[in-house]
Amino acid sequence: MRIILTLLHPAHVHKFKHLVTRLTADGHQVKTVVIDKEITQHLLKAYGMDYQLVGRNRKGLLRKIVELLKIEARMIKIAREFKPDIFVGGGEPSTAHAAFLMRKPYLAFDDTEHAGLIISAYKPFTKEIITPECFQKDFGKKQIRYKGFHELAYLHPNHFTPDASRLAQMGIDKDEKYVIVRFIAMNATHDMGELSLSMDQKRELVSRLSKKAKVYISSEHQLPPDLEPYKVRFPAEKIHDALAFATLFVGESATMASECAMLGTPAIYASSQERGYTREQQEKYQLVDIFDKTFDQVPDKALELLETKNIGEIYRKRRDKMLSEKIDVTAFMDWFIRDYPQSGRIMRENPAYQDRFI
């Protein structure tokens, strides 16, 4: 089978890396096409993945539009030359359009409800939209729901085992209490009009946390001089080991909050962006605390969690309950792609078939 896989976010590198390994090991040809954003290329190189760059994430609406037109043309050219049997990705318009022109199916594994413009651009040209059960939009007959979170494609115990020995390589004392704080740039198309922590609120958060624990900041944007000393210095590909042994995570990234839920690390998600997966992780499993309207209470909640006795054990038990009900997403995607279109019919007729991947 010849497959075009499109990655348009650093998290997609993690999500699909094990899938690519499994498919290529069995002789399938996977062409990984990348729209660069932040550390996407760094991660691809760190994991030794071959890829072809077709564009970059640009700032500003006009520059984004111009870049998208260029990406469309490059994607169609690549598709015509590679002649894939199927297209796969995280929900990306140019891939959907190329698949439509080639009269081949595009399977979109999406979990971002609020990316309205992107969804409206790819949905009409997409054969299947595969989402977690907690996804808050209904796409009708095109949609297939599975029992899992995208982060379980790479943080399921079948694929990831935290290694405390790596902490020393990152300059972290494994015996210290530490917090990872994540700030995002809020310049993606789906970020427009959303609310997050103000700079004053970020300063207060870091100031109060630093009195109780070591603070490491991961930030998409340039930090002011007073926060710069807290900036993380370890490689991005090692972040999951750091998250796994952290006492707490606080940040504006839904992906990293969800990653902590998969690892059993207490997480606070501070953003007005509504996500079905973080909502389920809060309401069903109590693994994430969401602050989506007011952020003044974030420091208080963070300190409360830091001071809770046996917090690690409490969250590990909650995480184990979650894992007992969720599937290995990489194994599911692997099966779904290899057996498509039969897999699509099976999931519609017998959704419980996926339980074999728990």
Side-chain angles (χ1 to χ4, degrees):
M1 184 186 298
R2 298 173 68 83
I3 304 163
I4 282 185
L5 168 66
T6 307
L7 310 179
L8 65 154
H9 189 279
H12 291 171
V13 180
H14 298 302
K15 182 166 70 179
F16 292 111
K17 64 183 180 181
H18 297 297
L19 174 67
V20 171
T21 298
R22 292 171 68 138
L23 290 169
T24 54
D26 286 344
H28 299 285
Q29 296 184 51
V30 181
K31 188 170 191 62
T32 302
V33 182
V34 174
I35 299 171
D36 192 33
K37 183 179 188 291
E38 302 153 22
I39 59 170
T40 301
Q41 290 193 78
H42 170 85
L43 290 173
L44 287 162
K45 292 172 182 175
Y47 296 133
M49 295 175 65
D50 294 329
Y51 65 94
Q52 183 169 346
L53 186 68
V54 293
R56 303 179 186 279
N57 181 55
R58 303 293 185 182
K59 296 180 180 180
L61 185 58
L62 181 59
R63 295 184 69 190
K64 285 181 183 293
I65 292 172
V66 172
E67 184 70 3
L68 287 173
L69 292 173
K70 293 179 180 178
I71 291 170
E72 289 270 347
R74 294 166 187 155
M75 186 68 72
I76 292 170
K77 182 176 184 294
I78 290 170
R80 285 175 173 166
E81 292 174 351
F82 186 70
K83 296 180 174 58
D85 301 300
I86 197 167
F87 292 73
V88 177
E92 195 279 315
S94 67
T95 312
H97 302 162
F100 182 79
L101 289 174
M102 296 286 290
R103 302 185 187 281
K104 299 294 182 181
Y106 174 46
L107 311 182
F109 292 88
D110 201 354
D111 70 344
T112 308
E113 298 96 335
H114 66 283
L117 288 174
I118 293 175
I119 291 172
S120 63
Y122 81 71
K123 179 185 172 184
F125 308 96
T126 301
K127 194 69 175 177
E128 308 279 7
I129 304 176
I130 305 101
T131 71
E133 285 183 329
C134 56
F135 194 81
Q136 296 176 331
K137 287 184 180 292
D138 185 352
F139 297 131
K141 294 181 179 180
K142 286 190 174 185
Q143 189 172 12
I144 291 175
R145 296 178 183 269
Y146 65 86
K147 301 175 182 178
F149 306 112
H150 278 188
E151 291 74 25
L152 283 176
Y154 53 98
L155 294 178
H156 190 281
N158 289 345
H159 306 294
F160 178 74
T161 301
D163 186 349
S165 68
R166 295 174 184 149
L167 296 181
Q169 301 170 16
M170 294 182 271
I172 298 175
D173 181 349
K174 66 180 179 64
D175 296 320
E176 73 180 349
K177 180 182 289 189
Y178 68 93
V179 181
I180 294 182
V181 177
R182 172 67 170 173
F183 301 139
I184 64 174
M186 300 294 287
N187 59 16
T189 303
H190 57 252
D191 292 331
M192 295 179 181
E194 300 291 347
L195 301 176
S196 61
L197 295 163
S198 68
M199 187 53 68
D200 285 343
Q201 289 170 329
K202 292 175 181 178
R203 286 191 168 100
E204 181 189 358
L205 173 66
V206 173
S207 174
R208 294 180 64 183
L209 285 174
S210 63
K211 295 174 182 177
K212 299 291 183 178
K214 181 77 172 180
V215 176
Y216 297 96
I217 299 177
S218 169
S219 180
E220 289 182 355
H221 55 73
Q222 182 68 40
L223 293 172
D226 58 314
L227 294 183
E228 186 65 25
Y230 298 96
K231 187 175 181 179
V232 295
R233 307 295 176 186
F234 41 83
E237 65 272 17
K238 305 294 186 183
I239 188 65
H240 299 124
D241 288 295
L243 289 173
F245 295 101
T247 308
L248 176 67
F249 167 83
V250 185
E252 300 164 323
S253 168
T255 295
M256 289 185 73
S258 184
E259 288 173 337
C260 287
M262 304 304 101
L263 297 166
T265 298
I268 295 175
Y269 173 46
S271 172
S272 65
Q273 293 182 346
E274 179 71 10
R275 306 291 180 99
Y277 56 90
T278 51
R279 186 62 61 184
E280 181 178 53
Q281 289 158 8
Q282 173 181 254
E283 295 178 353
K284 187 174 182 179
Y285 299 109
Q286 294 81 53
L287 286 163
V288 175
D289 285 286
I290 300 174
F291 291 82
D292 56 359
K293 294 181 176 63
T294 176
F295 307 116
D296 291 339
Q297 298 174 3
V298 169
D300 289 337
K301 183 62 180 181
L303 292 174
E304 175 192 324
L305 290 172
L306 273 180
E307 294 169 359
T308 300
K309 292 183 178 179
N310 301 318
I311 188 75
E313 181 180 350
I314 292 169
Y315 274 72
R316 280 191 293 274
K317 288 180 178 179
R318 294 175 183 177
R319 179 242 194 183
D320 290 344
K321 179 180 186 301
M322 178 271 295
L323 286 175
S324 73
E325 300 173 356
K326 299 300 182 182
I327 63 172
D328 175 342
V329 175
T330 286
F332 170 77
M333 291 192 298
D334 186 24
W335 163 74
F336 195 90
I337 293 166
R338 290 174 191 252
D339 285 13
Y340 189 79
Q342 291 87 348
S343 55
R345 289 196 291 268
I346 289 171
M347 283 297 293
R348 289 184 171 86
E349 295 170 2
N350 179 29
Y353 182 91
Q354 66 182 296
D355 290 349
R356 66 189 57 201
F357 300 111
I358 291 177

